[in-house]
Amino acid sequence: MAQLTDDCFAFSGPLLPIDEVERILRERVMPVPEIETVPLGAAYGRVVASDIAAPISLPPFDNSAVDGYAVRAADLDRAAETRLAITDRVTAGRVAARPLAPGAAIRIFTGAPMPAGADTVFMQEDVRLEGETVLVPPGLDAGANRRLAGEDVQAGALLLPAGRQLSARHVALAAAVGLTQLPVRRRIRVAVLSTGDEIVEPGAARPSAALFDANRFLLAGLLAGLGAVSTDFGIVADDPQALQRAIAAAAQEHDLVLTSGGVSTGEADHVRKAVEAIGRLVFWRVAVKPGRPVAMGVIPGSRPGTGAAFVGLPGNPVAVFVTFARVVRPLLGRLAGAELAPLVALPVRSTFAHRKKKGRREYVRVALRRASDGVIEAVKHAQEGAGVITSLTQTDGLVELLEDTTKIAPGDSVGFLSYAALVE
Ligand code: AMP
Ligand code: MG
């Protein structure tokens, strides 16, 4: 079931820049074809499969934006107060019994339809009442405090384009125009496994040289946040045969197999060879720090034309996070048919000095704070190791240093990406 066309990946040099990875994914990964219709209540997080037009306009009718008095602008004295007789009262959900007569006003409430003949609404705070009349001040613009039919959405206009991943805001928009169900692509199925002789399940007996598995839990949460369904394939030893078997099994019935650990060049790193043995490796090094070794490939399925994409992430949890954000997220987006909004790094002021190698993209874990002059500053976490998990929990996001950058000095403006923005 892989949607990757597995014959035409470019393998451009030993260290692939992030932009090149994204270009390869855009060009070579096709969305899953299956489309289903889901009720609105189940649409959150799904990806719209085809353009949705608005069946009605929003607002559907002209209405008042405030509690007050509906009037005709033509009746108003431009220089002095105008006295108008109050002839009717219209609340939200009701319609005025009669049109607004010249020289009159209608008591109106927020959301109530504009009475025929009325074009302007005074806020109740701005008027004076005397018996059955209202005195309105001069100077209000014609059309003030009135919401026009269609000023938000025009009937027939494009409401939700194909590829939109539905947030609560988008589902609310669909509800507002009365839609009850939406065509969406099926969810992406991801098999997740950890590798390493030293990795044990949290809660299991832990040999003295072992670590509890953090990565499967990190990945499961990140995948759920992106609307994918994950299957847990557990922990696999650093054994070539065991890895081949596990990856081949995981490729069945899944669109993507995601592993962590075992992708570098150490003697116990067998993931890359396992992929080469049972499938095809597309690239395995990306010009990104942390995270340089990232293997990407295709594993054929048991039937012709089927199979899964494969991404082997590094073992260190911080590297897992960064490479998930920069490689797996765009891949998932392509498989799901989602048009991801480009990541926009926000300018903040660096408090730190930092040197880096040219030609690779680097991500620095930082906490934000407001300096005494009001500017937002980025403070680098004290521990830079890619295995330091608390550097992820004690910070707010990543400063992105582009390929050409070689050093940062305190006071420099740098681009900040929040954790939420990176993996939503
Ligand atoms: P590797 O790429 O397999 O050499 O792993 C790099 C580092 O990440 C090693 O220190 C591993 O022990 C650690 N590591 C690998 N997998 C996990 C995991 N699932 N949870 C926590 N740490 C891990
Ligand atoms: Mg390992």
Side-chain angles (χ1 to χ4, degrees):
M1 46 189 64
Q3 306 305 315
L4 276 167
T5 51
D6 62 356
D7 54 347
C8 42
F9 274 103
F11 185 55
S12 72
L15 267 179
L16 213 53
I18 288 280
D19 287 343
E20 190 73 359
V21 169
E22 292 201 328
R23 189 185 61 76
I24 288 174
L25 296 175
R26 264 197 315 276
E27 287 177 5
R28 305 301 185 200
V29 180
M30 294 302 132
V32 295
E34 298 94 329
I35 291 170
E36 55 202 41
T37 300
V38 293
L40 224 47
Y44 174 82
R46 304 300 298 269
V47 177
V48 175
S50 51
D51 288 352
I52 311 284
I56 62 166
S57 290
L58 275 187
F61 48 87
D62 294 358
N63 68 94
S64 177
V66 297
D67 292 340
Y69 294 84
V71 304
R72 296 171 184 271
D75 288 345
L76 304 177
D77 191 319
R78 285 167 175 266
E81 267 189 345
T82 307
R83 180 184 295 273
L84 301 163
I86 304 167
T87 56
D88 201 355
R89 182 173 183 277
V90 52
T91 53
R94 308 201 181 277
V95 178
R98 60 194 78 86
L100 178 65
I106 289 178
R107 178 73 168 124
I108 195 165
F109 296 89
T110 305
M114 289 295 284
D119 54 25
T120 302
V121 183
F122 279 90
M123 289 175 74
Q124 60 191 24
E125 295 86 335
D126 295 341
V127 306
R128 291 193 296 127
L129 290 176
E130 271 180 20
E132 298 299 295
T133 66
V134 59
L135 288 132
V136 302
L140 188 65
D141 289 340
N145 299 318
R146 171 189 55 172
R147 302 190 283 219
L148 289 175
E151 71 176 26
D152 190 350
V153 175
Q154 289 281 341
L158 178 62
L159 190 74
L160 296 167
R164 172 74 75 244
Q165 187 150 25
L166 297 164
S167 69
R169 292 170 288 124
H170 299 110
V171 178
L173 177 62
V177 295
L179 294 170
T180 58
Q181 50 185 30
L182 294 172
V184 297
R185 289 201 193 259
R186 77 158 165 79
R187 289 188 190 273
I188 302 308
R189 299 190 275 258
V190 186
V192 180
L193 61 90
S194 290
T195 74
D197 288 343
E198 80 283 27
I199 306 300
V200 299
E201 191 66 23
R206 189 186 64 80
S208 62
L211 291 177
F212 292 124
D213 187 356
N215 292 344
R216 261 159 62 236
F217 296 87
L218 176 58
L219 291 173
L222 294 173
L223 288 165
L226 291 178
V229 181
S230 66
T231 312
D232 185 1
F233 276 73
I235 302 164
V236 181
D238 288 318
D239 171 79
Q241 300 306 321
L243 279 167
Q244 284 181 31
R245 274 196 306 276
I247 293 170
Q252 308 303 317
E253 309 299 324
H254 291 90
D255 305 299
L256 170 63
V257 178
L258 210 48
T259 68
S260 65
V263 280
S264 355
T265 46
E267 277 159 31
D269 293 327
H270 304 296
V271 170
R272 191 158 54 94
K273 288 209 182 68
V275 172
E276 283 172 325
I278 60 174
R280 254 175 41 84
L281 194 72
V282 174
F283 58 78
W284 70 279
R285 296 206 311 160
V286 177
V288 61
K289 186 188 175 186
R292 193 170 46 138
V294 180
M296 163 137 198
V298 185
I299 312 292
S302 47
R303 283 168 291 117
T306 67
F310 172 88
V311 178
L313 301 176
N316 281 307
V318 179
V320 169
F321 184 90
V322 168
T323 51
F324 182 93
R326 297 314 326 245
V327 178
V328 178
R329 179 178 175 268
L331 169 59
L332 277 176
R334 286 299 295 162
L335 286 169
E339 296 292 336
L340 302 182
L343 285 175
V344 179
L346 299 175
V348 298
R349 187 169 66 202
S350 172
T351 61
F352 56 90
H354 189 84
R355 286 183 178 278
K356 70 178 271 294
K357 270 194 193 148
K358 207 177 168 77
R360 71 184 179 192
R361 196 159 317 176
E362 198 162 320
Y363 292 93
V364 182
R365 284 143 277 161
V366 298
L368 296 184
R369 70 178 184 204
R370 190 179 289 278
S372 52
D373 62 359
V375 175
I376 305 289
E377 289 183 336
V379 182
K380 182 160 84 171
H381 194 269
Q383 286 171 287
E384 287 187 59
V388 179
I389 304 192
T390 51
S391 70
L392 286 176
T393 58
Q394 294 169 347
T395 50
D396 300 309
L398 304 174
V399 159
E400 181 176 55
L401 303 176
L402 297 179
E403 285 76 357
D404 282 347
T405 303
T406 54
K407 64 177 194 217
I408 291 296
D412 285 356
S413 178
V414 290
F416 170 81
L417 294 162
S418 72
Y419 288 131
L422 277 161
V423 293
E424 76 187 359

